[in-house]
Every structure is written in structure tokens, then in C-alpha cells.
Amino acid sequence: MRILVVDDDERIREIVRLYLEAEGYETDEAENGNIALEKVRNGTFDLIILDLMIPGLDGWTVCKVLRKETQIPIIMLTAKGEENDRILGFDLGADDYIVKPFSPRELCARVKAVLRRLDGETSREHLITFPGFTINQITREIVVDGIEIKLTTKEFDLLLVLTKNPGQIFTRDQLLNSVWDFDYCGDSRTVDTHINRLRSKFDSQVGFSDFIHTVRGVGYKFEYNGR
């Protein structure tokens, strides 16, 4: 299990890191919100410990952005203990909340509890499966013929929309709205570019990509029955 600790206080990051590593977890650190987002987008983490009062993008904003991109569990860490702050944190998608000053042992216990709960929730209902092809919607892992396929956030989201609706034809505008939201300022060629990247990655890693079908003049659909 790999955990990202986000806090601008180096001493707190060090204490949390030592306790987590003593429990067998791998850790990485970020001192502000911008670095945290960059590390999550370019790495793999099982849980994030997120301080709210960090420079750059604050913890509220980081949590809000992350919840649009991933379901990695988040434990919020803050000096604020007011009920409204806790409620807002949970409304934004936090999985737990701990107030400073805190016991590192209690934090480790909270980490274990959240991860156990996640493990219990990771059942068949969170898996999209086809013969030899599995997508885990919680961990955002894709495994084809025993090989894990590494995708960017948008590539994964695009593939997820298609695979959750096999056989359904999506126009480029529908995919833009589903993956990039309505306020996206680009054009439909963005969809074509990401489809091409998906096909290229699957071709290079497992030797096939013919499950994403182009419907001329309309858009794309997903059809796959194994190889």
C-alpha cells in the first residue's frame, strides 16, 4: 500500500512517514496542493492524507479536484475541528477526518480502517469484466491477459464510459461532455486523439486494440468478446 502525505509542515510529514512506514506502508510527500495533484496524476496511491491549510491550492480545492478524477480514499488533516468543516470535508468526498494535534498511532489506525473498508467495498460490483479483460473502478486498474495497462486519467475515464455501455454508440460531443465536462473549451478532435492513444497503448502492451470501434460519421463504441 502506498500513501501520499500532503502537509506544508515538514516535521509533521516526517512523523507521519515514520509511523506509516513502521506499519509497512510506502509513502511519498507533497508540501502543497499543486505538487499533490501532480503526484497523484503521475503516480499510484492507495490513500491520501491531506492537510486542509496548505499553500497554493488548499486542501478543500485539492479534494474537490481529486474527486472528479479518482476515488482514492482521502483522510483530511486539519487544525480546525468545527462541525461545519467536517461536514464540508465529507461533502467534498473525504473518507475520514482527523484534527490536529493528533496521535500518530490514531492516524495509523484511521488509515487501516479506511483501507479495510475500501477492501471490503472492492467487490464484483466495482469490476467491469470481459473475457481476459478487467477494469477496477475503485483502484482504476486495467488488466488484460494478466498485463496491467497504464493509462492517464482522461484515457481511463474515456475507456470507462465506453466499457460501461458496450455496444452503445457515443458521439464525440457526448464523450466530451462525459469525460471533459460541459465547460471544456476544446473541440471533438480531442476525443479522436485520446482514442488513438488508447489504441496505441493497448497495441504496444497486449498486441490488440480492436475493441474500440469507429462508427463513421457518428463516433465510437466498445465491443469485445475476448480473443
Side-chain angles (χ1 to χ4, degrees):
M1 291 289 185
R2 192 159 181 257
I3 298 174
L4 178 64
V5 182
V6 186
D7 197 300
D8 61 330
D9 189 323
E10 185 177 0
R11 182 181 59 86
I12 290 179
R13 295 201 310 271
E14 177 70 10
I15 291 172
V16 172
R17 181 183 66 80
L18 289 173
Y19 272 82
L20 290 174
E21 290 182 351
E23 294 290 339
Y25 299 110
E26 294 183 13
T27 64
D28 197 356
E29 302 175 20
E31 63 267 27
N32 62 57
N34 302 85
I35 294 175
L37 286 178
E38 182 181 357
K39 290 199 171 189
V40 172
R41 287 166 174 165
N42 292 289
T44 302
F45 296 96
D46 298 285
L47 184 139
I48 300 168
I49 297 173
L50 176 63
D51 183 32
L52 293 182
M53 308 305 290
I54 50 177
L57 295 176
D58 61 28
W60 305 117
T61 304
V62 172
C63 183
K64 186 176 181 179
V65 172
L66 287 176
R67 275 297 164 261
K68 291 182 178 180
E69 301 179 0
T70 178
Q71 292 302 311
I72 299 172
I74 297 172
I75 296 179
M76 285 190 163
L77 189 64
T78 182
K80 294 183 177 181
E82 291 82 0
E83 181 181 13
N84 287 341
D85 291 318
R86 294 196 299 273
I87 292 173
L88 178 57
F90 289 129
D91 284 345
L92 289 175
D95 295 87
D96 204 351
Y97 193 108
I98 190 166
V99 179
K100 296 178 180 177
F102 60 90
S103 160
R105 293 179 63 188
E106 180 186 358
L107 179 59
C108 287
R110 297 282 189 97
V111 167
K112 290 179 182 178
V114 170
L115 290 174
R116 277 199 306 269
R117 186 165 69 242
L118 177 66
D119 186 57
E121 292 172 353
T122 307
S123 61
R124 300 296 300 181
E125 66 185 71
H126 299 290
L127 300 178
I128 299 174
T129 59
F130 303 93
F133 193 131
T134 301
I135 299 176
N136 189 315
Q137 298 181 72
I138 291 180
T139 63
R140 299 175 72 84
E141 293 176 330
I142 300 172
V143 178
V144 180
D145 294 341
I147 299 172
E148 184 177 354
I149 309 298
K150 298 293 187 180
L151 301 179
T152 65
T153 298
K154 292 303 184 186
E155 288 167 354
F156 181 91
D157 291 342
L158 180 58
L159 183 64
L160 189 61
V161 171
L162 294 169
T163 54
K164 289 175 74 173
N165 303 276
Q168 179 177 338
I169 301 172
F170 288 88
T171 67
R172 291 167 176 82
D173 285 340
Q174 287 175 323
L175 291 172
L176 275 176
N177 291 337
S178 297
V179 178
W180 282 268
D181 296 327
F182 290 94
D183 57 356
Y184 180 70
C185 297
D187 59 36
S188 62
R189 286 176 295 183
T190 297
V191 174
D192 298 333
T193 298
H194 281 73
I195 290 291
N196 289 335
R197 288 175 181 170
L198 276 172
R199 288 170 170 163
S200 177
K201 287 188 176 181
F202 276 85
D203 265 333
S204 64
Q205 295 180 60
V206 293
F208 76 101
S209 63
D210 56 357
F211 52 84
I212 300 177
H213 299 270
T214 300
V215 181
R216 290 189 179 279
V218 184
Y220 299 98
K221 66 177 179 177
F222 175 89
E223 286 185 345
Y224 177 72
N225 298 306
R227 289 196 288 171

